[in-house]
Amino acid sequence: MRLTAEQIASFHEDGFLVLQDWFTPDEVDLLRTETYHEFGNDQPGRILEKNGAVRTVFAAHKSNDVFSRLTRLQKMAEPAAQLLGDEVYVHQFKINAKLGLDGDQWEWHQDYLYWLKEDAMPTPNVLSAVVFLNTVDDFNGPLLLIPGSQKMGTIDLDVEKKYQQLDVAESWKPTLTADLKYKISKRTLIRALENSRIVAAKGTPGFVVFFHGNTLHASAGNLSPVDRLSVFISYNTVANALQPIANPRPTFISERDFTPIAALPDDALLAPRNGHSSPQREQLASLAG
Amino acid sequence: MRLTAEQIASFHEDGFLVLQDWFTPDEVDLLRTETYHEFGNDQPGRILEKNGAVRTVFAAHKSNDVFSRLTRLQKMAEPAAQLLGDEVYVHQFKINAKLGLDGDQWEWHQDYLYWLKEDAMPTPNVLSAVVFLNTVDDFNGPLLLIPGSQKMGTIDLDVEKKYQQLDVAESWKPTLTADLKYKISKRTLIRALENSRIVAAKGTPGFVVFFHGNTLHASAGNLSPVDRLSVFISYNTVANALQPIANPRPTFISERDFTPIAALPDDALLAPRNGHSSPQREQLASLAG
């Protein structure tokens, strides 16, 4: 199998697993080229920062062959299946830009809270695999995680709201607004850090982080001139398929086709086959090589 | 003298100097108590974050005995005079809150640009001394500095504006807004980093950073639950006094009394004398001990 027993145990202990050098420089070049290509497309899945720079592009795997193949590579889908213990499909796909000087922060949150509240995903047995396309250091907004925070379970939002009201009442804050809809209170963050710490996921281009749906994570703004591009692939198990709801979110944000992935060989990103290639993409791949 | 020849040379080389353990835990306790007291005062010098939390309080040294004494301590005013080579006065005083989870970022800038453009300060021979009242690590928004960036001189804002227009024209940004009035372009930041790097000023409560008016600096948002309180005292030389202008900024932002500081002994923060004490403050000092 792809991951060792130690790596699997580490994921279940910490709520995340960092894999250095998971993609080659040629693969990273191709993914980076395709990423900037997607940023230039004015499409419904493209979300902007407050300052107008690109923040996120959703669902590029539905229209872009390279990203489609990326989600199906054995080295991505197999670890996801191993860590979740079941066949997987892609619940959500997004590219986060965090451009040099423009990339804003993401506050502390659990991904699963969104998928529970917005999409009726039954359990938190879901994870995200993030491919980082640049060197990530302390200054370009590394992904921050709290080891073991997934063991707190899914956070109760009614309690969080009460905590936040208390925090405001006890502080000098005339007003309070939350950027994120399902924001974690300061009290809960302090509790998560009582026997843990904040860890920054750093590495060279092509490293990958797998993290559990309940793992608390955040990232600071990018104060370096270096972009910090990352591709988030959220894998869910077929057994944990979304329940039917009245007004589901668009499928470019929340997939409702639960067909499990038919994995591709690891070299399929640069050497497409099985009808998943196109002449234009092959040319790009060859240029990137 | 207060600073060694090596420390002075280091300041002139890097544009900043970090002094660990410059204040005792008792002194830090007193400064922290007074800081939260000032945050609670709805005063003209109190500036809020976008989310409503306190961001900055200006000029507390004009009304608060403890902060008044702080600016005059020999261990603050003497190094300032040594590094600038002349008698000094306090040009600007502010407390930056950077509260846990609420403290927003500060973009890259040179302080002197503001004082040149807004206040008609003749030369960049000015510095700020920052007292940090908490442990500062990678996650609560450390002050970031670029060693040697002061040697670039004062940045030409007309050139910066052209660079920023070029950056926008060459990118996929539909719009662009700058939070800071005198924002540094990505091109200039890249140039500053060509033969340098970003350094984070970290330490335990009571450490101090002296930095030159032309040193490029910034800080990320505070993504930890720990506040990152800091007191900024900007010392200018009497020889570099502001020129008269038509509509000067209020004196709580930009001092126009250029009387040099009469320094107090280092123990004067906790043991006030010379008529600078008040019973209430002495009680606080004794409680803090």
Side-chain angles (χ1 to χ4, degrees), chain A residues 2-3 7 10-12 14-20 22-23 70-71 73-84 88 126-132 143 145 201 207-213 215 232-235:
Chain A
R2 179 69 58 167
L3 299 179
Q7 288 174 318
S10 173
F11 176 87
H12 290 303
D14 291 338
F16 64 90
L17 181 67
V18 180
L19 300 166
Q20 296 290 343
W22 210 243
F23 287 86
L70 174 67
T71 64
L73 293 181
Q74 284 173 346
K75 64 181 174 182
M76 297 300 282
E78 276 186 11
Q82 267 187 288
L83 294 170
L84 297 177
V88 296
V126 57
L127 61 74
S128 293
V130 194
V131 187
F132 290 92
L143 177 65
L145 307 121
F207 79 101
V208 170
V209 178
F210 284 84
F211 68 95
H212 186 270
T215 303
F232 278 66
I233 309 169
S234 300
Y235 291 105

Side-chain angles (χ1 to χ4, degrees), chain A residues 36 39 48 51-52 54 99-102 108 138-139 144 172-176 186 189-190 193 198 219-220 223 225, chain B residues 36 39-40 48 51-53 100-102 108 138-139 144 172-177 186 189-190 193 198 219-220 223 225:
Chain A
Y36 288 117
F39 288 172
L48 303 181
N51 69 7
V54 173
L99 299 177
L101 296 188
D102 287 318
W108 291 101
D138 285 318
F139 308 115
L144 306 179
W172 324 263
K173 294 175 202 166
T175 62
L176 186 85
K186 192 182 289 190
L189 187 62
I190 290 169
L193 289 170
I198 299 172
S219 69
L223 276 169
Chain B
Y36 287 118
F39 288 172
L48 303 182
N51 70 6
L101 296 188
D102 286 320
W108 292 100
D138 285 319
F139 308 116
L144 306 179
W172 38 91
K173 294 176 204 166
T175 63
L176 186 84
T177 59
K186 192 182 289 191
L189 187 61
I190 289 169
L193 289 169
I198 300 172
S219 70
L223 276 168

Side-chain angles (χ1 to χ4, degrees), chain A:
Chain A
M1 292 293 278
R2 179 69 58 167
L3 299 179
T4 65
E6 288 72 28
Q7 288 174 318
I8 294 172
S10 173
F11 176 87
H12 290 303
E13 178 61 27
D14 291 338
F16 64 90
L17 181 67
V18 180
L19 300 166
Q20 296 290 343
D21 302 316
W22 210 243
F23 287 86
T24 68
D26 286 351
E27 290 174 321
V28 170
D29 277 353
L30 176 63
L31 293 171
R32 208 149 40 192
T33 300
E34 294 297 318
T35 290
Y36 288 117
H37 174 78
E38 293 297 330
F39 288 172
N41 283 344
D42 185 3
Q43 47 188 314
R46 192 177 70 166
I47 312 295
L48 303 181
E49 303 276 11
K50 285 172 208 150
N51 69 7
V54 173
R55 179 172 174 88
T56 296
V57 174
F58 280 99
H61 71 311
K62 286 177 180 284
S63 57
N64 182 309
D65 292 334
V66 172
F67 292 125
S68 170
R69 292 201 300 278
L70 174 67
T71 64
R72 288 174 289 150
L73 293 181
Q74 284 173 346
K75 64 181 174 182
M76 297 300 282
E78 276 186 11
Q82 267 187 288
L83 294 170
L84 297 177
D86 193 8
E87 286 188 306
V88 296
Y89 71 94
V90 176
H91 167 63
Q92 189 178 79
F93 179 99
K94 63 181 182 179
I95 307 169
N96 280 348
K98 205 176 271 290
L99 299 177
L101 296 188
D102 287 318
D104 204 355
Q105 68 176 28
W106 293 76
E107 295 174 313
W108 291 101
H109 64 286
Q110 292 179 318
D111 285 343
Y112 175 61
L113 260 176
Y114 288 79
W115 302 331
L116 169 66
K117 297 289 180 184
E118 304 283 340
D119 303 327
M121 185 185 287
T123 83
N125 194 34
V126 57
L127 61 74
S128 293
V130 194
V131 187
F132 290 92
L133 304 182
N134 306 89
T135 295
V136 179
D137 61 21
D138 285 318
F139 308 115
N140 61 352
L143 177 65
L144 306 179
L145 307 121
I146 301 180
S149 55
Q150 85 287 0
K151 293 180 184 169
M152 297 171 76
T154 307
I155 288 169
D156 185 321
L157 286 169
D158 292 334
V159 175
E160 292 308 290
K161 276 191 195 113
K162 280 174 197 149
Y163 282 164
Q164 282 159 1
Q165 284 159 3
L166 280 171
D167 283 344
V168 172
E170 292 172 8
S171 77
W172 324 263
K173 294 175 202 166
T175 62
L176 186 85
T177 59
D179 277 351
L180 282 184
K181 190 167 176 185
Y182 301 132
K183 187 182 165 126
I184 301 303
S185 72
K186 192 182 289 190
R187 284 160 203 249
T188 295
L189 187 62
I190 290 169
R191 187 159 60 88
L193 289 170
E194 265 166 14
N195 298 304
S196 191
R197 65 198 193 287
I198 299 172
V199 169
K202 295 182 271 191
T204 50
F207 79 101
V208 170
V209 178
F210 284 84
F211 68 95
H212 186 270
N214 272 343
T215 303
L216 280 170
H217 60 288
S219 69
N222 186 347
L223 276 169
S224 90
V226 179
D227 295 344
R228 201 223 66 179
L229 310 175
S230 59
V231 183
F232 278 66
I233 309 169
S234 300
Y235 291 105
N236 190 26
T237 62
V238 174
N240 196 30
L242 309 187
Q243 298 301 299
I245 50 176
N247 293 298
R249 297 200 291 177
T251 55
F252 73 83
I253 292 183
S254 173
E255 184 58 68
R256 288 193 172 263
D257 174 351
F258 314 121
T259 312
I261 284 171
L264 300 177
D266 283 353
D267 66 357
L269 201 63
L270 291 176
R273 54 183 82 87
N274 302 328
H276 295 295
S277 65
S278 75
Q280 190 198 349
R281 300 301 177 214
E282 284 190 334
Q283 192 181 14
L284 273 172
S286 107
L287 284 172

